[in-house]
Amino acid sequence: MSLLYQNPKMALGYARCRPALHAWIVSRIAGQFEHSLPVRRALDLGCGSGLSTAPLAGLAQSTLGLEPAIPMFAWSRQVAPEAVYVGGQVELIPFCNDLFDLITAAGSLNYADLPRAFAEIARVLRPAGSFFLYDFSTGRSLKDSDRLDRWFDTFLDRFPAAKDSWKEITQATLLQESNHLRLLSFR
């Protein structure tokens, strides 16, 4: 992981200046979720300052966020006060087996060792649980606006280290690396 995300200014930027897409995406997740809601426990991997964690509160009785860059937690209590935040890496998730009904990862696995990450996700996900991965790479465009594209391009220009440590996750990558999980769809 880049030292970029250890910066308190980056935590503030994640808390206040990122596009507000997570609630919309999580509402789509809720619409496709095969289980009754709310689920017992949800885990947000690479939760940053909590923006991707906050909308999970409506889907779960208990919501946890996992983040390797501890300075990101500086704003998490303001962004998603109902969640519990834990420092840790997706390649070594600090929870017991079969604990979570729902796991999400919003643009965070692009920085992970995917085979190890997927093995850990499969380990902590309950047998009938669901894992949703979404990111802001090739599908980061809004249908009727270029605002999100411009925001992301500005971010990468301002913080080139983010681009240097980032890896694209494609459908082929998922099919190759996620042997512990079953891929249901890719959009």
Side-chain angles (χ1 to χ4, degrees), residues 92-116:
L92 190 60
I93 299 174
F95 298 110
C96 64
N97 298 350
D98 304 326
L99 186 62
F100 296 98
D101 303 290
L102 170 63
I103 298 177
T104 59
S108 59
L109 294 189
N110 302 86
Y111 300 93
D113 176 322
L114 289 179
R116 289 177 55 208

Side-chain angles (χ1 to χ4, degrees), residues 110 135-141 149 152 166 168-169:
N110 302 86
D135 74 6
F136 306 103
S137 56
T138 56
R140 73 180 196 268
S141 297
D149 292 303
F152 198 72
W166 181 88
E168 182 177 7
I169 298 175

Side-chain angles (χ1 to χ4, degrees), residues 43 45 66 89-105 109 113-133 174 177-183:
L43 174 63
L45 300 172
L66 181 73
Q89 296 180 321
V90 69
E91 296 91 347
L92 190 60
I93 299 174
F95 298 110
C96 64
N97 298 350
D98 304 326
L99 186 62
F100 296 98
D101 303 290
L102 170 63
I103 298 177
T104 59
L109 294 189
D113 176 322
L114 289 179
R116 289 177 55 208
F118 286 136
E120 280 293 279
I121 292 165
R123 181 184 65 77
V124 300
L125 188 63
R126 292 177 52 116
S130 296
F131 167 57
F132 293 89
L133 167 68
L174 288 174
E177 303 295 350
S178 64
N179 59 353
H180 299 280
L181 301 166
R182 184 171 47 109
L183 181 63

Side-chain angles (χ1 to χ4, degrees), residues 10 24 28 41 47 49 57 67 70 73 90 92 102 108 133 146 149 153 164 169 177 181 184:
M10 183 61 75
W24 179 80
R28 293 193 67 194
R41 288 185 197 93
C47 66
S49 63
E67 173 61 43
I70 303 305
F73 293 148
V90 69
L92 190 60
L102 170 63
S108 59
L133 167 68
D146 68 345
D149 292 303
D153 291 340
D164 295 342
I169 298 175
E177 303 295 350
L181 301 166
L184 297 179

